[in-house]
Amino acid sequence: MIDASHPALIKNAFNIIEVTEDNYPIISQGVDGYYNILFLTMRSKNNNNYNCQICVDFEPVYRKVAAAVRDQAPHSKVLFFMADVNEVPSLVHDLKLKNVPHVVSYSPPNANSDFSWSKSPFYHYQLSNQSVKDILHFGNFVGKMLQIYIQLEEDFNMFEFFGYFTFFIGVFLFIKKVVLPNIDHKWKVGLYLLSLFIILNSISGYKFTQINNIPLLARNDEGKIMYFSGGNSWQFGIEIFFVSGMYIIMGLFTLLLIWLNTWSFVDDRIKTVLSSIFACGVFYTFSYFISCYKIKEPFYPF
């Protein structure tokens, strides 16, 4: 075991120690009290002309998280390592590697332990085609392991931006060209919408997500979007829209039931059918609301 000030532990600009054939026997002994996170990659093609695209995709994520830990939690006892398997054959032999990439983390050793990368137990962080570019997923893994909070930003996605931009431009044009010309008291409707926005903002948990810097979208290990978090003490950003949408739909059906009796232009038989439809809408929307709530509180009795 070596000291944290050992010359072999020289870090690059991204807070990462590059593993070489020369320093591998030294740094693989570990540092007392420090977590070891090791990224096994392959930057160039091997003898079989194989190129590791997942390695290339994940390396920027690994660099950004390592740098964020240094900048935002400088007192964290963790060392980030990166090893190119083409340049460190001894490491490949000792770990009996058959493929790449791999990200493994070792718990902090102590002075009395017989620690080495090849013998000590480790946790294997799963890499997939969906998760290699997800900086929040890896950052969450590192933050939980070190019990620290780090703030990360995803790279700008032009295609995602264009999709949202096109959708909202379409909504804006529809409101401007179709909806507004048919509204007589625009200021009154505007106040109604403002009141609705304030109410939904208050009850949907927006302030909670803002205070805790919770991202809009959270993904699982397979890269799929998670719409609801487990437990009542946390929520994902997208839950704001789901909760608001359910309240709006339930409220709309309820108001339609109230207003239906005042519609003199509707035949009584049609009113009977419409009242059944609106009542079913309230029932099924509330049932869906309860089913979503049971994700957060599985033992909810009602």
Side-chain angles (χ1 to χ4, degrees):
M1 192 166 298
I2 60 176
D3 187 76
S5 60
H6 195 283
L9 300 175
I10 298 177
K11 303 174 183 177
N12 61 19
F14 300 100
N15 192 37
I16 296 172
I17 301 167
E18 296 281 352
V19 183
T20 65
E21 190 69 15
D22 293 332
N23 66 17
Y24 164 65
I26 302 172
I27 61 180
S28 62
Q29 300 173 32
V31 178
D32 186 14
Y34 278 77
Y35 285 93
N36 284 206
I37 301 178
L38 174 61
F39 174 36
L40 300 161
T41 182
M42 185 172 67
R43 295 191 180 98
S44 57
K45 294 182 179 180
N46 61 8
N47 296 331
N48 296 323
N49 202 35
Y50 171 76
N51 183 43
C52 178
Q53 186 58 44
I54 296 182
C55 301
V56 176
D57 292 338
F58 182 71
E59 186 168 331
V61 171
Y62 189 74
R63 288 178 174 177
K64 289 179 181 178
V65 172
V69 171
R70 175 198 60 198
D71 297 337
Q72 300 178 32
H75 301 297
S76 299
K77 289 193 171 184
V78 59
L79 297 171
F80 290 88
F81 299 91
M82 185 184 301
D84 189 326
V85 294
N86 289 330
E87 298 176 2
V88 195
S90 298
L91 175 61
V92 176
H93 176 267
D94 292 345
L95 294 181
K96 298 179 175 58
L97 293 177
K98 301 297 183 182
N99 51 57
V100 287
H102 296 287
V103 176
V104 296
S105 62
Y106 296 89
S107 297
N110 56 61
N112 299 322
S113 62
D114 183 21
F115 178 87
S116 71
W117 288 351
S118 59
K119 299 177 182 178
S120 299
F122 56 81
Y123 178 84
H124 189 191
Y125 174 75
Q126 296 295 326
L127 289 172
S128 63
N129 290 324
Q130 293 78 22
S131 64
V132 290
K133 295 183 179 180
D134 190 351
I135 189 172
L136 299 180
H137 190 275
F138 182 61
N140 182 58
F141 163 75
V142 173
K144 286 183 176 179
M145 182 180 65
L146 302 178
Q147 297 183 348
I148 60 173
Y149 172 78
I150 52 175
Q151 187 171 351
L152 300 165
E153 293 184 1
E154 294 183 284
D155 292 333
F156 180 74
N157 189 320
M158 177 62 72
F159 294 103
E160 186 176 358
F161 168 77
F162 183 75
Y164 284 119
F165 179 79
T166 304
F167 172 77
F168 283 108
I169 285 295
V171 172
F172 173 77
L173 292 176
F174 175 78
I175 294 174
K176 182 178 180 180
K177 301 293 184 180
V178 179
V179 178
L180 289 180
N182 296 305
I183 298 178
D184 296 328
H185 304 287
K186 295 181 177 61
W187 64 271
K188 185 181 294 185
V189 174
L191 290 176
Y192 288 156
L193 294 176
L194 178 62
S195 301
L196 179 62
F197 172 78
I198 294 173
I199 293 172
L200 293 176
N201 186 46
S202 302
I203 65 177
S204 62
Y206 168 75
K207 207 63 183 177
F208 177 83
T209 60
Q210 186 182 42
I211 293 173
N212 291 279
N213 293 307
I214 301 174
L216 174 64
L217 298 178
R219 301 179 186 274
N220 59 18
D221 294 338
E222 298 177 354
K224 297 180 180 179
I225 295 175
M226 296 185 292
Y227 295 97
F228 295 96
S229 66
N232 288 319
S233 60
W234 196 255
Q235 74 171 51
F236 300 133
I238 198 171
E239 289 185 46
I240 297 171
F241 299 99
F242 272 91
V243 173
S244 299
M246 286 186 283
Y247 280 129
I248 289 173
I249 294 173
M250 284 190 289
L252 181 61
F253 278 126
T254 303
L255 288 174
L256 288 173
L257 279 172
I258 297 172
W259 292 335
L260 182 60
N261 194 47
T262 64
W263 294 352
S264 57
F265 56 89
V266 179
D267 185 77
D268 288 342
R269 287 175 296 181
I270 297 178
K271 284 184 179 180
T272 303
V273 175
L274 289 176
S275 63
S276 299
I277 294 174
F278 297 157
C280 289
V282 174
F283 174 78
Y284 283 110
T285 306
F286 185 73
S287 297
Y288 179 73
F289 177 83
I290 293 298
S291 67
C292 294
Y293 185 75
K294 283 188 173 181
I295 298 175
K296 305 181 74 65
E297 188 63 47
F299 301 104
Y300 182 66
F302 303 107

